[in-house]
Amino acid sequence: MKIAFLCLAHNNFEYLKVLKDYCVSDGDSFFLHVDNKVDYEDENFKSSDCYCISDSERLRTRWGTFSIVDATLKLMALANSTGTYDYYFLISGHDLPLKSKFELKNSLKHHRALMSLWSSCEYNRPDSAYLYKNNDITEKINSKRIYREFFHYTNYEHRLLNIGELQNERSKTKLRFALLFKKILNSFRVKSSFNFDKYYKGSQWWVLNKEMLNYCLSFKDKKQFFYMHAPDEKYFHTILMNSIYSREIIISNGERYLEGSHYIRWKKEGMEKISKKNLTIATNSNAFFTRKIDFEDFDYFVKHIESLIKDKARNEF
């Protein structure tokens, strides 16, 4: 079994080198896209099993925009043209592996793909929103907010309109302006052609097999996703859930904090960081990775990854 790890990153390159070492162990490969706003030494990531999106091809990946989907597609295309892989993991530079390669690959033998679903909605039915709970059990709700996430305009391309980036800047005045602009723009329905009966949303992070990856790469009608809120949480989910592969995907939706291949613990104020204090909880889950890690525990996480790599007796597959 051979795996391609597709990584989106923008900082913490010392940690990223260690994460890369885990990914390329046991004959697997690591594919890296770094946000083009960042200068980094790609020489540190060049090896026989590590491949980087070139500087001329790197994108500015803004929070909540389609650029994240485009960067992911670049990684998928690069991996597809590089070699033959059985599985493709989408991860970030803030992720931490939880299992040895032996454990990971032994678990994958029982899966075709892993993905999470949070909600779905139909274009012609604003009252058709569903929340996914307890695996395949759904709860129908009447939510204009969910419908607008899919089918009304959002625009986060400019830094003064990007709510996610402004929250990190902690500028209340700029954030209020961006939220007001979003509210006005979001009152208008997108006029693009929507060619699926149902659209889906879930965690950005997934595991796909080769057939599913090729199917996503062959999809051409991207425009319908351009103005959605966080299209990286909708694009691949919608394409695959409307395909012949939908029944082959193992779905999770936050039950016991499992989101596809990842352990992610959400709180009201946002995602809970993973530290050495709570890592055991994540390790005991069925997830392959967890995020986002607290880099104050950098040395601890490096030792954790090195122990997974050195576990040769369990790493031979």
Side-chain angles (χ1 to χ4, degrees), residues 10-212:
H10 63 276
N11 59 13
N12 295 298
F13 296 106
E14 286 302 312
Y15 173 78
L16 196 60
K17 286 189 286 185
V18 182
L19 178 61
K20 180 263 295 183
D21 290 341
Y22 168 83
C23 290
V24 301
S25 66
D26 200 38
D28 298 322
S29 299
F30 183 73
F31 296 84
L32 177 65
H33 177 279
V34 176
D35 191 310
N36 73 3
K37 72 174 180 180
V38 178
D39 292 325
Y40 84 110
E41 297 293 331
D42 62 353
E43 294 296 327
N44 293 326
F45 296 94
K46 287 184 177 178
S47 69
S48 59
D49 294 311
C50 182
Y51 308 87
C52 301
I53 300 294
S54 66
D55 286 346
S56 62
E57 292 291 316
R58 289 196 288 141
L59 302 174
R60 174 70 172 95
T61 49
R62 304 204 85 108
W63 178 90
T65 68
F66 196 82
S67 60
I68 299 174
V69 176
D70 273 334
T72 304
L73 289 169
K74 284 181 178 291
L75 287 170
M76 294 165 71
L78 179 59
N80 198 41
S81 65
T82 299
T84 301
Y85 301 93
D86 300 291
Y87 291 95
Y88 302 80
F89 275 70
L90 182 62
I91 63 174
S92 87
H94 288 204
D95 288 1
L96 180 74
L98 297 176
K99 299 184 183 300
S100 71
K101 284 292 183 68
F102 175 85
E103 293 173 307
L104 185 150
K105 292 185 176 182
N106 196 46
S107 296
L108 279 178
K109 287 192 300 183
H110 308 290
H111 303 310
R112 295 277 288 163
L114 297 170
M115 186 175 279
S116 79
L117 288 183
W118 298 336
S119 61
S120 66
C121 205
E122 297 175 30
Y123 175 65
N124 292 318
R125 296 180 58 196
D127 64 341
S128 65
Y130 282 84
L131 292 179
Y132 286 76
K133 293 185 177 181
N134 301 322
N135 294 329
D136 60 349
I137 300 173
T138 59
E139 175 189 350
K140 187 174 182 180
I141 61 171
N142 185 6
S143 175
K144 292 181 179 179
R145 179 187 61 80
I146 291 178
Y147 185 84
R148 286 177 175 174
E149 272 199 21
F150 285 91
F151 306 120
H152 284 227
Y153 280 102
T154 57
N155 187 344
Y156 302 132
E157 292 295 343
H158 194 281
R159 66 180 183 85
L160 292 178
L161 303 177
N162 194 295
I163 296 168
E165 293 176 13
L166 290 173
Q167 286 175 333
N168 292 330
E169 290 182 15
R170 301 186 183 280
S171 172
K172 291 183 179 180
T173 302
K174 291 179 180 178
L175 183 58
R176 287 189 188 119
F177 169 80
L179 287 169
L180 177 61
F181 183 86
K182 178 192 174 185
K183 184 176 181 180
I184 295 171
L185 187 64
N186 201 230
S187 64
F188 296 97
R189 191 167 166 175
V190 176
K191 295 181 179 179
S192 299
S193 297
F194 292 93
N195 54 13
F196 293 112
D197 292 332
K198 186 179 287 187
Y199 289 74
Y200 295 84
K201 177 185 178 181
S203 172
Q204 176 185 356
W205 316 105
W206 40 248
V207 181
L208 303 181
N209 63 28
K210 187 169 183 63
E211 292 83 1
M212 294 175 189

Side-chain angles (χ1 to χ4, degrees), residues 160-272:
L160 292 178
L161 303 177
N162 194 295
I163 296 168
E165 293 176 13
L166 290 173
Q167 286 175 333
N168 292 330
E169 290 182 15
R170 301 186 183 280
S171 172
K172 291 183 179 180
T173 302
K174 291 179 180 178
L175 183 58
R176 287 189 188 119
F177 169 80
L179 287 169
L180 177 61
F181 183 86
K182 178 192 174 185
K183 184 176 181 180
I184 295 171
L185 187 64
N186 201 230
S187 64
F188 296 97
R189 191 167 166 175
V190 176
K191 295 181 179 179
S192 299
S193 297
F194 292 93
N195 54 13
F196 293 112
D197 292 332
K198 186 179 287 187
Y199 289 74
Y200 295 84
K201 177 185 178 181
S203 172
Q204 176 185 356
W205 316 105
W206 40 248
V207 181
L208 303 181
N209 63 28
K210 187 169 183 63
E211 292 83 1
M212 294 175 189
L213 178 124
N214 283 327
Y215 187 80
C216 290
L217 286 174
S218 70
F219 183 77
K220 302 301 181 185
D221 195 6
K222 301 179 185 178
K223 186 177 179 180
Q224 59 191 301
F225 294 90
F226 283 0
Y227 299 105
M228 291 183 182
H229 170 84
D232 53 300
E233 296 175 346
K234 300 179 175 75
Y235 184 83
F236 300 102
H237 308 70
T238 298
I239 293 171
L240 290 172
M241 290 304 293
N242 283 285
S243 75
I244 59 173
Y245 302 108
S246 61
R247 293 186 178 182
E248 300 179 30
I249 301 171
I250 304 299
I251 301 297
S252 61
N253 44 45
E255 186 181 12
R256 295 187 297 277
Y257 307 106
L258 189 61
E259 302 281 5
S261 60
H262 282 59
Y263 175 92
I264 304 174
R265 189 159 187 158
W266 293 97
K267 291 187 171 182
K268 288 183 179 179
E269 59 271 23
M271 190 184 301
E272 180 182 64

